[in-house]
Amino acid sequence: MTKERSSFQNLNATRIIATTIGVFFGLFSGVNHGFFEVLQGNKPTDGLFIYAIGEAQRFWPLASEGAFTLIPNFLITGIASMTVGMAIMIWSIWFLPTRHGRTVFLGLFILSFLVGGGIGQVAFFIPAWAFATRMDKP
């Protein structure tokens, strides 16, 4: 068997789907929320629950993207959220199939939730992690 063929066989459908889900939520949850949080500037949050999209950036009345954060500053929350979102994307592409890849995958999603990556992702990251744990199974 050639080296090219054996490496192609390691790319199973479960890995491709788990990687796609990780990249999708890293980008549209962490990076997207973080971008709008950074746009709100260096000002304090009103508490643990925030709206990622501020009044000045809203394109329609209900466009607010709720998020939870432990960091009491929009700028720092946004930077942390974008950083964790990028880490999720990188981890999903290169490190998900490693020995502890799935555990770190789940940890990064939890961290993303805690630093302003969005509330809506919670309904998806636990099933995505559970799906990723099936990568090496027949």
Side-chain angles (χ1 to χ4, degrees), residues 14-61:
T14 307
R15 178 179 175 191
I16 292 169
I17 292 169
T19 298
T20 303
I21 290 169
V23 170
F24 180 82
F25 282 107
L27 180 64
F28 292 109
S29 214
V31 176
N32 181 44
H33 275 80
F35 174 74
F36 283 108
E37 291 160 0
V38 165
L39 287 179
Q40 293 188 54
N42 189 14
K43 66 179 190 177
T45 61
D46 294 331
L48 297 176
F49 182 79
I50 62 170
Y51 291 109
I53 300 178
E55 291 291 329
Q57 292 83 29
R58 290 189 186 160
F59 296 113
W60 58 89

Side-chain angles (χ1 to χ4, degrees), residues 33 37 43-52 66-81 110-119:
H33 275 80
E37 291 160 0
K43 66 179 190 177
T45 61
D46 294 331
L48 297 176
F49 182 79
I50 62 170
Y51 291 109
F68 177 86
T69 184
L70 296 175
I71 304 169
N73 182 293
F74 278 106
L75 180 64
I76 297 170
T77 293
I79 292 169
S81 181
I110 292 169
L111 183 60
S112 176
F113 170 74
L114 294 175
V115 298
I119 292 176

